[in-house]
Amino acid sequence: MAEINGNFLNLEESYLFSDIAKKVAAYQKAHPEKRVIRLGIGDVTLPLTPSVTAALHAAVDEMGKAETFHGYGPEQGYDFLRNEIAAYYQSRGVELDAGEIFVSDGAKSDIGNITDLFSSENTALIPDPVYPVYVDTNLMNGRRIVYLKAGESNGFLPMPPAEAKAGLIYLCSPNNPTGAVYSKEQLEKWVEYALDCGAVILFDAAYEAYIADPSLPHSIYEIKGAERCAIEFCSLSKTAGFTGTRLGYTVVPYALTAAFGGKEVSLNRLWLRRQTTKFNGVPYIIQKGAQAVFSPEGQKETQELVTYYMKNASVIAEALSAKGIPYVGGINSPYIWMKCPEGLKSWEFFDELLNRCSVVGTPGAGFGANGEGFFRLTSFGNHQDTIEAMERFSAAF
Ligand SMILES: *Cc1c(COP(=O)(O)O)cnc(C)c1O
């Protein structure tokens, strides 16, 4: 009889979003006259921009003609897109070869799949609270996890531990759920630590486009030496509204190696081998849409999307500041991580916010033990609704 990978039995069921949905449905049933506003959305709401949809339409037409039809493409992405991504990095002073960039159907897949390259004997350092994918994919591999406490005392930005020598280090900046962003100096410490213990940093830059402060790094490769110790994941999901369209990219530098039997093995070659074996590339049509994101017009439109969401973030931030409620995020991130007022726990505040204001957010405890007592608000909603939600909040708390 076939046996399963028993590690799957170590995964905890996640009821966070289903519990929220149940509570909101029950509330709406009891109060049909109330208009519920959701500030808990972890998905974008604005549509694809005109230059992207034009490129998608044109690519569909190409696929319908024998002369311009595309079948299987390169697994790691078409050069036209990899070159655009390399140029995007170059605009920030990061020199990458197109061969170091791998196009995929999103950051989540790559973050999960990258664990294929590493021994399950490695220890993974993972912040808490955290994007649940890092934890679950390591549990599936049976890897030991050491949690890095992110709390008020470190501004929700954990720094390298004094003791534990890690194999893998997960960093997400700007962070989901906390919205906190590492400074250049802080990332330099992480790079130094990783080089020192031979660890690989898995850097999730899915929200880099939201960074407004020019002194903050968008990419781990803005730090010297990171090309020898880091893999970076990025995505057009939150940047250009591609959550349903699907396109991400992962950078695995040529200079990056990991050990096997006393030898150094290129992770770029390993990832190429893994992708060409298990993945057959992103649809040509979608890659053409992604290429349009990197055009000057596409970049302008993308900036407009980000600006719209960031206006929501400031509405939320101002309302919290006016009440003297501590929070992080919101300036360089679409997420705001607030301390629950009145000494409430995460789920207690969820209930109070729903009952008093008909507003929905996400309890911080759902992202890890250290999230208890905190709450995540997002700026992905409609602007008028965000204003109304925060007016209701200001009147009720
Ligand atoms: C949304 C998100 C991503 C992007 O995932 P995709 O699969 O590209 O849609 C990656 N990391 C974090 C932390 C996210 O919140």
Side-chain angles (χ1 to χ4, degrees):
M1 193 167 163
E3 281 201 24
I4 62 150
N5 171 355
N7 293 319
F8 275 71
L9 303 180
N10 298 329
L11 298 170
E12 273 179 47
E13 285 302 330
S14 172
Y15 298 114
L16 178 62
F17 290 99
S18 61
D19 283 353
I20 291 173
K22 271 186 217 146
K23 278 181 180 270
V24 175
Y27 174 79
Q28 195 75 84
K29 201 167 166 209
H31 307 277
E33 75 291 356
K34 300 276 192 195
R35 195 175 75 86
V36 170
I37 299 178
R38 290 167 195 276
L39 293 187
I41 314 173
D43 194 353
V44 296
T45 53
L46 294 174
L48 297 174
T49 66
S51 52
V52 171
T53 53
L56 291 171
H57 281 295
V60 169
D61 288 339
E62 280 188 69
M63 292 298 278
K65 293 194 203 91
E67 313 82 71
T68 48
F69 169 77
H70 286 75
Y72 289 125
E75 292 91 344
Q76 60 277 30
Y78 284 101
D79 279 343
F80 65 75
L81 180 56
R82 299 169 96 194
N83 290 333
E84 289 288 354
I85 296 169
Y88 180 70
Y89 272 99
Q90 194 176 39
S91 71
R92 270 193 251 105
V94 174
E95 293 292 336
L96 292 176
D97 186 82
E100 297 176 295
I101 298 162
F102 296 79
V103 174
S104 76
D105 66 347
K108 183 176 175 176
S109 323
D110 284 0
I111 290 165
N113 294 332
I114 203 80
T115 57
D116 276 6
L117 306 195
F118 299 99
S119 156
S120 54
E121 299 301 311
N122 287 296
T123 294
L125 292 187
I126 302 183
D128 173 7
V130 75
Y131 181 55
V133 178
Y134 311 153
V135 174
D136 286 351
T137 55
N138 278 288
L139 288 177
M140 286 174 185
N141 284 185
R143 207 169 276 115
R144 193 172 85 96
I145 297 174
V146 172
Y147 290 97
L148 297 166
K149 184 174 157 50
E152 278 178 302
S153 61
N154 56 18
F156 294 92
L157 294 167
M159 294 306 294
E163 290 299 318
K165 290 292 178 208
L168 302 175
I169 300 162
Y170 286 79
L171 299 178
C172 178
S173 177
N175 193 272
N176 176 14
T178 70
V181 188
Y182 279 110
S183 70
K184 197 156 187 265
E185 293 69 31
Q186 288 171 319
L187 287 184
E188 279 167 358
K189 293 228 170 69
W190 271 115
V191 166
E192 191 186 327
Y193 171 80
L195 289 172
D196 188 46
C197 63
V200 174
I201 296 174
L202 302 169
F203 192 78
D204 186 342
Y207 296 96
E208 61 83 15
Y210 289 85
I211 295 176
D213 179 343
S215 74
L216 294 172
H218 290 237
S219 163
I220 187 83
Y221 304 116
E222 292 176 48
I223 311 302
K224 236 179 109 201
E227 71 284 355
R228 288 183 285 121
C229 67
I231 292 175
E232 179 161 295
F233 304 91
C234 208
S235 166
L236 297 187
S237 281
K238 314 305 173 7
T239 306
F242 271 58
T243 50
T245 308
R246 310 305 305 143
L247 192 125
Y249 48 95
T250 290
V251 179
V252 189
Y254 294 139
L256 179 65
T257 60
F260 185 74
K263 280 209 208 98
E264 290 193 16
V265 180
S266 160
L267 288 176
N268 179 285
R269 283 181 53 186
L270 233 53
W271 183 241
L272 180 64
R273 190 71 176 85
R274 191 260 170 223
Q275 289 298 80
T276 51
T277 302
K278 293 197 185 181
F279 183 59
N280 242 343
V282 178
Y284 173 75
I285 296 165
I286 306 299
Q287 293 194 55
K288 290 304 278 186
Q291 182 187 23
V293 171
F294 293 98
S295 70
E297 191 54 29
Q299 284 294 292
K300 208 176 117 234
E301 293 168 353
T302 298
Q303 197 48 56
E304 283 163 14
L305 298 182
V306 170
T307 304
Y308 179 92
Y309 295 133
M310 291 314 283
K311 259 187 11 207
N312 292 342
S314 16
V315 168
I316 299 170
E318 277 163 28
L320 296 178
S321 298
K323 291 272 173 194
I325 295 172
Y327 66 90
V328 286
I331 301 168
N332 299 292
S333 144
Y335 295 117
I336 289 186
W337 183 252
M338 63 180 285
K339 189 164 185 158
C340 297
E342 303 170 3
L344 296 170
K345 290 187 157 184
S346 295
W347 278 104
E348 290 169 350
F349 178 59
F350 176 91
D351 291 334
E352 290 300 317
L353 188 64
L354 184 59
N355 287 318
R356 295 192 217 170
C357 309
S358 310
V359 170
V360 180
T362 314
F367 298 99
N370 281 307
E372 183 56 274
F374 292 86
F375 203 76
R376 191 188 74 172
L377 296 174
T378 80
S379 57
F380 289 128
N382 167 278
H383 191 57
Q384 244 8 80
D385 281 353
T386 306
I387 292 174
E388 190 179 329
M390 295 319 287
E391 279 170 359
R392 292 183 197 170
F393 171 81
S394 303
F397 284 88

